[in-house]
Amino acid sequence: EAGVTQFPSHSVIEKGQTVTLRCDPISGHDNLYWYRRVMGKEIKFLLHFVKESKQDESGMPNNRFLAERTGGTYSTLKVQPAELEDSGVYFCASWDRVYGYTFGSGTRLTVV
Amino acid sequence: QKEVEQDPGPLSVPEGAIVSLNCTYSNSAFQYFMWYRQYSRKGPELLMYTYSSGNKEDGRFTAQVDKSSKYISLFIRDSQPSDSATYLCAMSARDSWGKLQFGAGTQVVVTP
């Protein structure tokens, strides 16, 4: 089966601009997660979708971040307006009972 | 204090040696313990999964969990240059099983 696909793989934007990250989970996986790793820190949980519903968004840093999951399929994570501290690698993962977590390769976001 | 502590390394070993990795944690609610391997510019890939305490072996990999000491370990036998990667421990609690808490990751270099 195809893995978790994220794009873009790398994005460089200026402070104050908007960026939208996309994640296509493995087909049929209801559980979708977003994580983030900022420079020098561990990977941290952002939020969890079950189908199109937000199950847990306790890790979202602030209201500049908006996540959506259209029809329970792909998900987007929008950062508006981006700040320097938002730079990092954003990972998406989907989960099922057989394979557990499958992570995408991540989107490397650089805010300048 | 971080919930999960992991020495970032780098840890350099000669080919064929045993690689020993470990993490300590502070949250006694953690029940699920995982080890991930991450190659450069890729997402984390699940290596080992253990529920509660005990040992688990899979090929060259052995995972150990000691809940009384809040300490988990991963051993890689007969290490190969292809094992060179960053190894991340991750764990979660029963009531929030999908919300992984990661260690910072240990960079391992296996030299031929």
Side-chain angles (χ1 to χ4, degrees), chain A residues 32-34 45-49 54 56-57 59-60 67 77:
Chain A
L32 184 150
Y33 298 82
W34 284 95
F45 169 87
L46 294 178
L47 86 158
H48 170 205
F49 282 101
K54 292 176 187 173
D56 181 352
E57 52 183 330
M60 295 288 263
L77 181 63

Side-chain angles (χ1 to χ4, degrees), chain A residues 9-82:
Chain A
S9 58
H10 193 186
S11 179
V12 181
I13 62 170
E14 292 185 351
K15 176 182 172 181
Q17 288 187 323
T18 297
V19 64
T20 300
L21 315 180
R22 173 166 168 152
C23 169
D24 285 57
I26 293 172
S27 177
H29 284 198
D30 291 337
N31 290 276
L32 184 150
Y33 298 82
W34 284 95
Y35 285 82
R36 174 176 79 165
R37 184 168 194 161
V38 297
M39 184 72 73
K41 302 281 189 179
E42 63 273 19
I43 298 173
K44 281 195 173 290
F45 169 87
L46 294 178
L47 86 158
H48 170 205
F49 282 101
V50 177
K51 297 185 179 179
E52 67 275 7
S53 300
K54 292 176 187 173
Q55 186 77 12
D56 181 352
E57 52 183 330
S58 60
M60 295 288 263
N62 51 61
N63 60 10
R64 295 185 294 103
F65 289 75
L66 175 64
E68 294 179 325
R69 189 175 182 194
T70 305
T73 55
Y74 70 91
S75 176
T76 57
L77 181 63
K78 181 190 287 188
V79 185
Q80 179 182 30

